[in-house]
Amino acid sequence: MFEVTFLGHQGWQFSTGRTNVLLDPLLCDRFGHDPRGHAFDVFPPRRVDLAACPPIDAVLFSHEHEDHFHVPSIELLDRRIPIYLSARSSSAAPRLLRELGFEVRSLEPGEPFALGDLGILPLPQASLGGSHPGEWDSLALVVEDRGGHGSFFTTVDHRPQPATFELLRRHGVRPALIAYADNESDHSVMFPWAAPSGDGTAALAAELRALLERVVPRDLRPEALLLCANGLAPRGELAWMNESIFHRDPRAACGQLGPPFAAPLPGETITLSGRRRSDARRSPWIEALPERAWPARGSGARPHAPFGPATGVACLDDTSRGALERALGELARFLYASPLFCELYLLDATATGGRRPTFALELLEEGGSTVWIWDPPGCRFVREALPSPERSVVAGARCWASDLLAVLEVEMPAASLTMGRLAAWNAAPSALRFDLANVLHVYCHPLRAPDRFLALYRQLVRGAAPQVRAAGQG
């Protein structure tokens, strides 16, 4: 018997009756790596009884992003549980784990190993096509029942490609269950040119249909294709985003398509015996709350008021202004030869409508704002007195100066800024993506600044007592 339980977002439990392994578990109600407390609630909300969680043999982390490698959740694990971490992670993650007292083992791409009755095969992503920027360290994973009852496969935050299944075939893997992450959301309130076209749920259903018909080979068709991800709910002053950005209903899309598509709720367990799937059952330690307790989604809500600074700092002092100028210099050097750099260098006067072919940062402070213009020939940002930068610069973004500084110096994660506190304009959307939000996620990444991320992780350690037992322990 092989059991797979959905934990929420992209977390999973794998069980054989004698072996229990967790993948990317979010064990807290909230997640995020912002020491100031700007976090996301897990969606849908769950009841989690860690005392009823079976003893765990190992925990796997596919990569280091805060919605997978979550420090407060990690603290709840018995220190005798070995942690398997993607070999592509930064040095910050294993250093923190060892400081917390864990034994850290490496998930090496292409090197299978056994965990009790389970076989684990980490794989490199076959392609970066369709994936979000900054996901290079994420490994694909096969978890297989060694008794032959079935297997599970996930590319985590990457979209499977035809090459993905050729890679599985070379390794002799035919997964019975495949997880598919739908990370798409509608941020057009803050980035108007990026609005998706058409009905989001219908588009998701078409995407899933194309996946099965054009990407997954017929001989590798699974028993079930499990839809997950987007398991977050903004909170506090950003709660309006729940109704604004989540434009695709995974359960409705799967309902339109029928088997093999399913969108499990937290706590739902899929059981395979001899690769045959039986009816789903409920986990004894985790379950979704009744739907009436969920935040509403999909009504197209707009911000109720201008966003405030995530840092709580409305005005920089002289020291912080100097730090901001230095940090913008580092960002300017990082942008050289980036996709944004290349796109802007391809623009002509027709595309820009006579505006300057660069972008501006309008940084808010109490009582006004300052404008910094990216100067690629000088590899720098230049401060200019522009009362209406939208009229003179082809693209730009508006946010609080203190928030941008905190992200550039890795004092808070990029999501604390890009999720609801960064607004932008783009006068040449047909020629310029101006994907500044993802630029900031790539810039504020553990692989670029491991020492700064280690300091950030250390701030998140709360000294919480472990509540999840290790296998073989009382």
Side-chain angles (χ1 to χ4, degrees):
M1 180 182 67
F2 178 51
E3 293 185 334
V4 176
T5 301
F6 182 51
L7 304 182
H9 191 49
Q10 291 196 63
W12 303 91
Q13 175 190 342
F14 309 103
S15 302
T16 64
R18 293 191 302 176
T19 303
N20 293 287
V21 171
L22 303 180
L23 168 62
D24 292 344
L26 294 174
L27 303 176
C28 304
D29 293 334
R30 299 171 185 168
F31 66 91
H33 280 169
D34 191 334
R36 294 171 175 83
H38 296 291
F40 304 104
D41 293 334
V42 175
F43 181 90
R46 314 158 299 170
R47 176 194 65 83
V48 179
D49 180 5
L50 295 180
C53 178
I56 299 301
D57 293 89
V59 174
L60 314 176
F61 286 107
S62 63
H63 66 303
E64 203 175 340
H65 280 174
E66 61 191 311
D67 56 334
H68 297 258
F69 182 86
H70 180 235
V71 173
S73 293
I74 292 168
E75 279 200 274
L76 300 177
L77 302 173
D78 191 310
R79 299 307 188 261
R80 291 166 291 194
I81 300 173
I83 302 291
Y84 288 80
L85 181 67
S86 166
R88 305 281 170 84
S89 301
S90 80
S91 60
R95 287 178 66 186
L96 178 85
L97 291 170
R98 292 187 179 104
E99 288 178 7
L100 290 174
F102 289 101
E103 177 189 355
V104 184
R105 302 174 185 176
S106 184
L107 290 170
E108 298 288 346
E111 296 187 10
F113 61 96
L115 285 172
D117 294 333
L118 293 172
I120 312 296
L121 174 61
L123 292 170
Q125 301 294 342
S127 166
L128 292 179
S131 66
H132 287 261
E135 300 284 352
W136 322 280
D137 57 328
S138 175
L139 294 178
L141 286 158
V142 177
V143 181
E144 186 171 23
D145 174 67
R146 298 174 69 198
H149 291 295
S151 59
F152 169 96
F153 174 62
T154 177
T155 50
V156 195
D157 283 317
H158 293 251
R159 287 183 173 168
Q161 306 291 307
T164 303
F165 295 94
E166 291 305 314
L167 182 62
L168 288 180
R169 186 178 278 116
R170 289 199 299 272
H171 283 274
V173 174
R174 180 174 173 255
L177 304 174
I178 296 176
Y180 182 80
D182 174 37
N183 283 308
E184 296 306 311
S185 50
D186 176 8
H187 288 267
S188 59
V189 171
M190 313 302 280
F191 313 108
W193 70 94
S197 59
D199 178 78
T201 298
L204 175 58
E207 181 181 312
L208 294 172
R209 188 181 297 111
L211 171 70
L212 195 63
E213 294 176 355
R214 303 176 192 171
V215 179
V216 182
R218 288 192 175 276
D219 63 319
L220 295 182
R221 294 279 174 91
E223 288 290 310
L225 206 154
L226 308 174
L227 197 60
C228 62
N230 260 337
L232 67 153
R235 54 191 303 271
E237 65 176 331
L238 299 182
W240 60 268
M241 297 183 73
N242 288 301
E243 298 183 72
S244 177
I245 69 173
F246 299 110
H247 64 305
R248 291 151 64 115
D249 185 334
R251 290 189 297 161
C254 291
Q256 291 177 23
L257 296 171
F261 297 99
L265 295 178
E268 288 188 0
T269 298
I270 299 97
T271 302
L272 297 172
S273 181
R275 288 186 61 90
R276 288 183 175 272
R277 178 185 173 188
S278 59
D279 292 338
R281 65 173 184 82
R282 300 290 179 179
S283 165
W285 69 278
I286 189 166
E287 67 176 350
L289 296 183
E291 197 162 349
R292 62 180 178 272
W294 302 5
R297 287 190 162 190
S299 70
R302 294 295 186 261
H304 303 301
F307 52 88
T311 59
V313 177
C315 191
L316 300 182
D317 58 25
D318 290 342
T319 299
S320 295
R321 288 196 180 92
L324 175 61
E325 187 166 3
R326 290 189 295 274
L328 287 173
E330 286 188 38
L331 177 63
R333 288 185 286 275
F334 173 81
L335 288 172
Y336 165 72
S338 68
L340 177 56
F341 176 98
C342 297
E343 288 175 10
L344 286 168
Y345 261 51
L346 292 175
L347 295 178
D348 59 18
T350 301
T352 65
R355 294 175 175 85
R356 293 162 65 178
T358 184
F359 77 88
L361 293 171
E362 185 178 2
L363 303 184
L364 307 175
E365 292 192 61
E366 193 171 57
S369 63
T370 57
V371 177
W372 292 85
I373 306 295
W374 183 35
D375 171 29
C379 199
R380 60 182 179 168
F381 281 87
V382 179
R383 184 173 175 175
E384 294 190 18
L386 286 180
S388 300
E390 287 189 48
R391 297 180 180 177
S392 56
V393 181
V394 69
R398 184 179 299 108
C399 65
W400 286 87
S402 61
D403 286 357
L404 182 62
L405 177 59
V407 168
L408 296 181
E409 294 198 329
V410 194
E411 293 179 355
M412 71 180 189
S416 295
L417 171 60
T418 61
M419 288 289 286
R421 292 187 174 90
L422 180 75
W425 71 88
N426 181 358
S430 61
L432 179 65
R433 287 177 300 168
F434 191 51
D435 195 4
L436 184 63
N438 272 323
V439 168
L440 292 173
H441 279 273
V442 171
Y443 187 78
C444 187
H445 193 285
L447 285 168
R448 196 195 68 83
D451 289 341
R452 292 182 179 183
F453 263 88
L454 180 60
L456 182 67
Y457 293 158
R458 285 169 173 163
Q459 290 184 65
L460 298 164
V461 174
R462 301 177 300 185
Q467 297 182 56
V468 175
R469 293 171 293 153
Q473 307 296 328

